[in-house]
């Protein structure tokens, strides 16, 4: 397992080094796997695909909600994190 946390402003001042950690965090295998995933995401422009799929999802959900307004409410969310 590996995790990361980023914060700025007041939230960043709350945590110090080691405050937010895990038992296995930082082991060489987890770090190598995390780096490989980060490099893949960066090199293959995954974020652009997430943006495009998020727009596609929003349009599809808006279409469905317009066809069934008595059953479905508004579409809310961001990119691929959507709710109806």
């Amino acid at each position: 397992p590996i995790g990361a946390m980023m914060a700025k402003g007041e939230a960043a001042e709350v945590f110090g080094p080691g405050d937010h950690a895990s038992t296995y965090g930082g082991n060489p295998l987890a770090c190598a796997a995390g780096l490989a995933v980060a490099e893949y995401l960066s090199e293959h422009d995954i974020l652009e695909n997430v943006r495009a799929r998020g727009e596609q999802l929003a349009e599809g959900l808006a279409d469905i909600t317009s066809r069934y307004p008595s059953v479905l409410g508004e579409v809310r969310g961001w990119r691929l994190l959507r709710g109806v």
Side-chain angles (χ1 to χ4, degrees):
I2 191 168
M5 184 189 82
M6 298 185 328
K8 62 182 183 178
E10 282 186 47
E13 295 171 10
V14 173
F15 290 98
D19 286 349
H20 189 273
S22 72
T23 304
Y24 300 105
N27 75 67
L29 178 59
C31 288
L35 179 59
V37 169
E39 287 174 346
Y40 183 88
L41 294 174
S42 178
E43 292 169 2
H44 292 89
D45 203 20
I46 299 299
L47 185 55
E48 182 53 40
N49 188 47
V50 168
R51 287 183 180 121
R53 297 294 68 77
E55 289 176 17
Q56 183 181 21
L57 178 61
E59 291 168 6
L61 290 174
D63 178 54
I64 291 170
T65 58
S66 69
R67 286 189 277 151
Y68 304 100
S70 64
V71 178
L72 302 172
E74 68 177 307
V75 176
R76 291 181 282 179
W78 184 66
R79 304 270 156 73
L80 292 175
L81 298 172
R82 302 278 177 173
V84 179

